[in-house]
Amino acid sequence: ARNLAPVLEQHAIANRDPVLAFLLDEALTGHVVASTRSTYASATKRWVRFCEERSVQPFPADPVWICAWVIDVTSSIKVSSLRMYLAGVKYTQILRGFEWALSGNELLRRTIRYVRRVHGEPQKAAKLPVTYAVLRTILPLLPGWPRCDMMSHDDRLFAVASIIGVAGFLRGGEFLTQPRSSREVLSGATVAIELVNGAPVVVVYVPRPKNQWWESA
């Protein structure tokens, strides 16, 4: 019983085929997860409040006012969050039936470059993908390797977790996850200790992935 997005409420589809209109609304609003929609809503709320304080129509967004908002909002948010805030305004504007004409806008590009220079952004450390080759390099460095009885408990745990993570998943979001993650996660029932050729072995049951190109590699 919720309202349709304005772009659909104002369209003939809302009266001629309300069921299809509802399904389309689900697609237009639900193409991003709930947590992202919540962030978009917060960003849009700040943009609308900024406009109301200055008696400006928030949609469609005027490029000069958007640039002024960027200057204003980056005084209280991280510059790294700015991209998400702008995406939130774009998300809402399109649902209200207006095209987004600010992609590649030179005024906006200059403003963003300015706030990045003034406020700065944290330097991100280079990331090294953990592959089989990396494991073959780092695991032999563990004291006692490959004798499990000669290795410390923490090192054995690190080795097993690394091998499971790389061989079983290859996507960190499925191995190291957060409670609201939409991906399948490693559960207690997924991992078992079984006897293979008389030796106890950690066995991980992983659903067959959609992309299987890595299996042969």
Side-chain angles (χ1 to χ4, degrees):
R2 61 180 175 79
N3 295 329
L4 296 173
V7 67
L8 297 178
E9 282 185 341
Q10 301 161 8
H11 195 277
I13 192 174
N15 293 320
R16 296 184 182 180
D17 198 333
V19 174
L20 185 57
F22 176 80
L23 295 175
L24 180 56
D25 182 82
E26 288 283 331
L28 296 179
T29 59
H31 72 284
V32 292
V33 298
S35 58
T36 301
R37 292 198 299 271
S38 177
T39 302
Y40 284 175
S42 297
T44 301
K45 184 177 180 180
R46 292 194 62 164
W47 162 244
V48 171
R49 184 170 65 246
F50 173 88
C51 292
E52 289 176 346
E53 291 172 351
R54 293 160 179 81
S55 300
V56 174
Q57 287 293 331
F59 301 104
D62 176 81
V64 173
W65 282 115
I66 276 284
C67 292
W69 180 63
V70 166
I71 297 293
D72 179 77
V73 79
T74 49
S75 63
S76 57
I77 69 169
K78 295 179 180 179
V79 177
S80 58
S81 301
L82 185 58
R83 181 178 178 181
M84 182 69 78
Y85 271 61
L86 289 171
V89 176
K90 176 182 177 180
Y91 172 87
T92 305
Q93 176 160 310
I94 291 175
L95 288 180
R96 294 198 177 194
F98 300 105
E99 293 294 326
W100 181 258
L102 295 180
S103 297
N105 181 274
E106 182 61 18
L107 292 176
L108 184 57
R109 186 193 70 82
R110 293 185 183 190
T111 305
I112 293 175
R113 184 175 180 178
Y114 169 79
V115 295
R116 283 176 174 168
R117 178 168 58 83
V118 171
H119 298 290
E121 288 186 286
Q123 295 295 322
K124 295 184 178 179
K127 296 182 178 179
L128 174 66
V130 180
T131 63
Y132 290 115
V134 171
L135 288 184
R136 286 195 297 266
T137 300
I138 63 176
L139 292 183
L141 300 178
L142 297 175
W145 178 271
R147 290 276 304 276
C148 288
D149 58 329
M150 300 289 291
M151 298 169 60
S152 70
H153 172 73
D154 287 346
D155 285 347
R156 285 196 300 266
L157 188 62
F158 169 76
V160 171
S162 299
I163 293 171
I164 291 174
V166 174
F169 297 94
L170 294 182
R171 290 194 296 175
E174 294 176 348
F175 185 59
L176 304 174
T177 184
Q178 56 180 345
R180 294 184 299 175
S181 175
S182 58
R183 297 178 176 177
E184 293 188 19
V185 298
L186 186 66
S187 62
T190 309
V191 183
I193 298 179
E194 299 183 1
L195 289 177
V196 178
N197 296 327
V201 176
V202 177
V203 179
V204 183
Y205 295 93
V206 183
R208 181 173 292 274
K210 294 180 181 179
N211 296 322
Q212 301 173 27
W213 59 265
W214 53 269
E215 288 185 341
S216 59

